[in-house]
């Protein structure tokens, strides 16, 4: 479904702040894979997701989605395959626009937009049904500005928007990190439900090792711009945080340090 | 004091107000909706006036002249759009470059700095010929244009493309993530916006009976004044309210200007305020409008800070 082959990306090349963010990155995802991604700050997790989404051009390497080589496609063209939720709740929605306008916009992801006016009643019914599943009372607020919603409500809405038109690939970049623990848990459960029910091929970055172990069928750890650990199947099910820490030290030869990483239960 | 002269001030202000409101609608599209500070407008307003005047003088029907002028403004907008999206020239600079180039182009079109339309058939003379008193012809034409354009822009905002344009100004990241090319919508917004600005200039030239190379000077500031006065008077409810607010803001702005001139004319002040001082006054109005929300916030912050002590 997704192939990342020998991808390199250096930011600010040739300047004193040059940063090699991706170094010979390789990753293959099968259809329906739900992969959680962990790694220290600056390991290149967001950069990998941005590379897949086409936010910048690669220095080297190829990216294929569902058999289509998208390496040269700009962000907006790849969007027809990809649903995304960002860490910043403000980033995934248009705050000045209504809930229904945002959903209608998302429903047309990857389609040509025309001078067709308005939102049909059938679409509106679909929005209400979907919003009900969130259980946040948003189904009665179709004409509320998204800017009035809380961060958690906004992330839940963004998740809906990313999946309302089923994506071949779902990219989640620490999408619960900005939320309070309780809301984060709700949104994460919602995510798990949407992903498993629709068998969505998913990459989910998280800073919580327990979540990384709990969700998905596969776990990868990144360091220095590439994948250093790839665990799936039975091995992943039986994984413990202490195992992960030991593995990290074994592979990288250093201690796992990340103040934001939640190690405890 | 003569009450009639005040009423005629209101009427004259309203006429100029609705004609300039078409420009303000265009600027609203780029500045507020697209979030793009477009300085092309000073040039495209003059361009609209120049094209409209020259066409009318050449015997083109006044309404067709306005249409041609509008299209020329759209072309100017597309140039700014391409400079910005294709060649990554910053938004302010892209607009200034087009505006600067338009000065020469406008002179070429008119062949001189001031192009008079003495005794030519204009849209306004045509309306007068229908038996409408000349004092009302301008207001009638302006109101019809403004109302039709408010409805047209409102309907446009409701389309899929209009929605994408609004979203581009609001959150371009989201727009790209949802598969729409923000560059296309930026160019489109600049095309439509400058088309409206040129249309306003086209009407203005026919209304006042001449086009002038400097008629567009300060267009952006006058447009901002109209938009901001409209926003103060109208709370931002629906887009329909906001668009109507822009037009009313433009009318109110012109009436304020007319009153200031009238007071200065009748009162015994040492310094007589003249039309030449209006740019200074307009700039002050816009500065106040720009800093007013901030002033309110800091006042509130100070108050609540004291309460906390
Ligand atoms: N747009 C950018 N410009 C410059 N440096 C960047 C940019 N994006 C990421 N980086 C750098 O690349 C490295 C990897 O960043 P990132 O992928 O965000 O890490 P993380 O794994 O924490 O998500 C970091 O050192 C970061 O500073
Ligand atoms: Mg990150």
């Amino acid at each position: 479904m997704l192939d990342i082959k020998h991808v390199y990306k250096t930011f600010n090349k040739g300047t004193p702040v040059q940063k090699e963010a991706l170094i010979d990155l390789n990753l293959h995802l099968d259809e329906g894979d739900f992969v959680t991604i962990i790694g220290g700050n600056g390991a290149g997790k967001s950069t990998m997701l941005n590379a897949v989404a086409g936010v910048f051009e690669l220095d080297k390497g190829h990216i294929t989605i569902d058999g289509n080589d998208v390496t040269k496609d700009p962000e907006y063209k790849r969007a027809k395959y990809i649903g995304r939720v960002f860490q910043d709740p403000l980033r995934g929605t248009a705050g000045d626009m209504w809930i229904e306008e945002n959903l209608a916009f998302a429903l047309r992801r990857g389609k040509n937009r025309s001078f067709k006016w308005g939102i049909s009643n059938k679409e509106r019914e679909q929005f209400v049904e979907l919003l009900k599943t969130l259980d946040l009372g948003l189904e009665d607020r179709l004409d509320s500005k998204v800017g009035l919603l809380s961060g958690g409500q906004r992330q839940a809405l963004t998740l809906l928007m990313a999946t309302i038109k089923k994506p071949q690939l779902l990219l989640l970049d620490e999408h619960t990190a900005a939320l309070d623990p309780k809301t984060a848990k709700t949104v994460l459960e919602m995510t798990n439900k949407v992903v498993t029910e629709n068998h969505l091929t998913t990459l989910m970055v998280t800073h919580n090792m327990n979540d990384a172990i709990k969700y998905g069928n596969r776990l990868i750890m990144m360091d220095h711009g590439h994948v250093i650990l790839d665990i799936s199947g039975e091995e992943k099910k039986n994984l413990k945080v202490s195992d992960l820490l030991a593995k990290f030290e074994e592979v990288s030869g250093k201690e796992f340090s990340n103040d934001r990483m939640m190690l405890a239960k | 004091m003569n009450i009639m002269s005040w009423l005629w001030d209101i009427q004259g202000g309203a006429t100029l107000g609705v004609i300039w409101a078409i420009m303000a609608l265009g600027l609203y599209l780029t500045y507020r909706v697209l979030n793009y500070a477009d300085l092309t407008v000073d040039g495209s307003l003059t361009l609209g006036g120049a094209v409209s005047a020259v066409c009318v003088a050449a015997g083109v029907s006044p309404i067709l002249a306005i249409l041609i002028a509008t299209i020329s403004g759209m072309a100017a907008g597309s140039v700014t759009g391409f400079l910005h999206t294709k060649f990554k020239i910053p938004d302010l600079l892209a607009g200034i470059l087009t505006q600067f180039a338009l000065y020469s182009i406008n002179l070429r079109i008119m062949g001189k700095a001031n192009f008079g339309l003495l005794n030519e058939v204009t849209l306004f003379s045509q309306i007068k010929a229908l038996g409408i008193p000349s004092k009302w012809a301008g207001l009638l034409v302006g109101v019809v244009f403004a109302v039709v354009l408010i409805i047209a822009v409102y309907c446009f905002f409701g389309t899929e493309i209009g929605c994408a344009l609004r979203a581009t100004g609001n959150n371009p990241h989201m727009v790209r993530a949802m598969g729409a090319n923000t560059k296309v919508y930026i160019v489109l917004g600049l095309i439509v916006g400058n088309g409206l600005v040129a249309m306003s200039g086209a009407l203005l030239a026919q209304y006042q009976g001449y086009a002038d190379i400097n008629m567009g000077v300060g267009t952006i500031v006058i447009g901002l004044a109209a938009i901001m006065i409209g926003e103060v008077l109208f709370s931002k409810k629906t887009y329909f309210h906001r668009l109507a607010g822009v037009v009313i803001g433009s009318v109110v702005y012109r009436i304020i200007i007319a009153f200031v001139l009238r007071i200065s004319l009748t009162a015994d002040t040492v310094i007589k305020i003249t039309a030449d001082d209006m740019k200074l006054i307009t700039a002050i109005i816009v500065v106040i409008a720009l800093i007013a929300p901030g002033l309110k916030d800091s006042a509130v912050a100070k108050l609540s800070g004291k309460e906390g002590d």
Side-chain angles (χ1 to χ4, degrees):
Chain A
M1 173 57 70
L2 172 69
D3 264 301
I4 303 176
K5 283 200 177 129
H6 304 293
V7 164
Y8 290 79
K9 179 68 192 179
T10 303
F11 289 109
N12 306 314
K13 209 176 227 161
T15 72
V17 288
Q18 168 166 322
K19 177 76 208 175
E20 292 168 316
L22 297 178
I23 305 165
D24 196 20
L25 175 70
N26 289 284
L27 185 67
H28 169 83
L29 259 62
D30 285 322
E31 184 149 6
D33 266 351
F34 180 2
V35 181
T36 57
I37 305 167
I38 56 172
N41 279 337
K45 307 180 295 293
S46 298
T47 308
M48 173 167 82
L49 263 53
N50 286 335
V52 173
V55 175
F56 46 73
E57 279 179 33
L58 306 181
D59 297 340
K60 259 205 281 190
H62 283 275
I63 293 176
T64 318
I65 301 173
D66 208 6
N68 307 289
D69 188 334
V70 297
T71 311
K72 293 273 173 265
D73 287 351
E75 188 180 2
Y76 76 92
K77 276 199 187 150
R78 296 185 203 190
K80 70 168 172 251
Y81 308 113
I82 302 173
R84 270 196 286 170
V85 186
F86 311 91
Q87 177 170 353
D88 180 0
L90 304 182
R91 204 170 163 124
T93 47
D96 284 345
M97 293 167 74
W98 292 352
I99 290 178
E100 66 172 20
E101 288 179 311
N102 273 274
L103 285 167
F105 197 78
L107 194 59
R108 290 157 181 75
R109 179 168 53 79
K111 281 192 206 145
N112 274 333
R113 289 160 208 271
S114 72
F115 284 106
K116 199 164 137 291
W117 208 76
I119 299 164
S120 73
N121 280 333
K122 206 175 133 227
E123 285 173 351
R124 221 166 254 133
E125 278 163 28
Q126 183 190 357
F127 299 162
V128 168
E129 286 312 309
L130 283 168
L131 288 167
K132 270 185 191 158
T133 65
L134 299 184
D135 203 16
L136 296 168
L138 296 181
E139 63 271 18
D140 305 320
R141 299 176 60 188
L142 283 182
D143 59 354
S144 280
K145 266 197 195 174
V146 170
L148 300 173
L149 305 185
S150 69
Q153 287 173 324
R154 252 176 119 147
Q155 279 311 61
L157 179 64
T158 310
L159 184 65
L160 257 197
M161 288 169 61
T163 54
I164 189 166
K165 186 169 171 285
K166 190 177 168 182
Q168 268 99 322
L169 186 62
L170 182 63
L171 304 179
L172 310 167
D173 190 358
E174 302 200 39
H175 66 306
T176 61
L179 309 177
D180 66 81
K182 191 162 159 281
T183 317
K185 192 158 179 282
T186 316
V187 172
L188 209 52
E189 280 302 326
M190 232 175 251
T191 307
N192 192 42
K193 193 161 153 257
V194 173
V195 170
T196 48
E197 276 177 6
N198 297 292
H199 308 289
L200 298 177
T201 313
T202 303
L203 283 173
M204 180 172 91
V205 179
T206 173
H207 60 280
N208 185 318
M209 286 210 180
N210 291 308
D211 289 341
I213 293 168
K214 182 172 164 194
Y215 298 104
N217 65 323
R218 192 171 154 195
L219 180 152
I220 64 175
M221 188 186 271
M222 285 186 72
D223 188 47
H224 270 106
H226 54 264
V227 176
I228 56 166
L229 211 68
D230 190 338
I231 304 166
S232 54
E234 280 306 307
E235 194 188 353
K236 171 167 185 292
K237 279 186 197 141
N238 302 324
L239 211 57
K240 287 191 187 59
V241 170
S242 52
D243 302 337
L244 273 180
L245 290 175
K247 292 233 185 219
F248 179 85
E249 278 163 38
E250 187 188 315
V251 179
S252 71
K254 64 185 179 188
E255 213 168 296
F256 195 99
S257 69
N258 184 345
D259 27 349
R260 279 175 60 243
M261 192 61 81
M262 289 182 204
L263 306 174
K265 265 259 177 230
Chain B
M1 231 184 281
N2 183 351
I3 190 84
M4 271 321 279
S5 56
W6 287 84
L7 288 178
W8 285 127
D9 279 349
I10 293 179
Q11 196 260 12
T15 307
L16 273 181
V18 282
I19 291 175
W20 280 91
I22 296 161
M23 173 279 289
L25 284 174
L27 191 69
Y28 181 81
L29 202 77
T30 50
Y31 184 76
R32 271 284 184 263
V33 177
L34 206 53
N35 201 12
Y36 186 110
D38 177 28
L39 295 183
T40 316
V41 293
D42 283 30
S44 49
L45 188 111
T46 312
L47 176 67
V51 170
S52 153
V54 167
C55 282
V56 164
V60 176
S61 90
I63 201 83
L64 186 61
I66 291 168
L67 190 71
I68 296 171
T70 305
I71 292 169
S72 68
M74 294 168 102
S78 73
V79 171
T80 303
F82 278 113
L83 289 179
H84 177 63
T85 56
K86 192 91 193 157
F87 305 112
K88 303 195 165 65
I89 296 174
D91 53 356
L92 281 175
L93 188 56
I96 290 174
L97 285 170
T98 311
Q99 184 207 110
F100 197 58
L102 279 173
Y103 189 89
S104 302
I105 292 171
N106 291 336
L107 268 178
R108 282 269 172 209
I109 291 171
M110 294 193 289
K112 51 191 171 186
N114 189 296
F115 194 99
L117 287 177
L118 221 59
N119 301 325
E120 302 288 354
V121 177
T122 68
L123 188 55
F124 301 89
S125 70
Q126 287 177 325
I127 299 294
K128 281 177 214 161
L130 296 175
I132 311 265
S134 71
K135 285 231 179 215
W136 295 103
L139 190 58
L140 180 71
V141 169
V143 167
V144 168
F145 267 81
V147 169
V148 169
L149 289 172
I150 288 175
I151 293 169
V153 174
Y154 179 77
C155 289
F156 171 61
F157 281 170
T159 65
E160 290 174 352
I161 288 175
C163 214
L165 192 144
R166 288 188 288 134
T168 297
N170 191 193
N171 186 354
H173 298 295
M174 178 274 235
V175 173
R176 284 192 291 271
M178 289 300 169
N181 187 356
T182 47
K183 291 179 182 176
V184 167
Y185 295 100
I186 290 171
V187 174
L188 179 69
L190 288 166
I191 287 176
V192 177
N194 280 288
L196 288 169
V197 173
M199 186 188 286
S200 175
L203 275 171
L204 189 64
Q206 293 192 22
Y207 175 67
Q208 62 192 13
Y210 64 89
D212 186 278
I213 191 65
N214 290 321
M215 68 191 278
V217 172
T219 294
I220 184 141
V221 187
I222 294 168
L224 290 183
I227 290 169
M228 286 166 181
I229 293 170
E231 283 172 355
V232 170
L233 298 178
F234 271 72
S235 59
K236 297 188 206 169
K237 273 195 223 152
T238 66
Y239 267 101
F240 202 80
H241 287 89
R242 296 190 217 182
L243 293 169
V246 171
V247 173
I248 290 173
S250 175
V251 169
V252 169
Y253 164 76
R254 287 289 159 186
I255 292 174
I256 291 174
I257 296 282
F259 279 2
V260 169
L261 286 174
R262 167 79 52 195
I263 291 166
S264 155
L265 203 68
T266 49
D268 237 349
T269 49
V270 183
I271 302 170
K272 284 280 175 217
I273 298 175
T274 70
D276 293 332
D277 298 316
M278 286 310 139
K279 292 195 170 36
L280 175 63
I281 293 172
T282 306
I284 292 170
I285 292 176
V286 171
V287 169
I288 292 172
L290 279 174
I291 61 177
L295 285 179
K296 209 166 80 186
D297 289 347
S298 62
V300 170
K302 264 188 201 138
L303 281 178
S304 49
K306 274 191 189 124
E307 273 167 23
D309 284 345

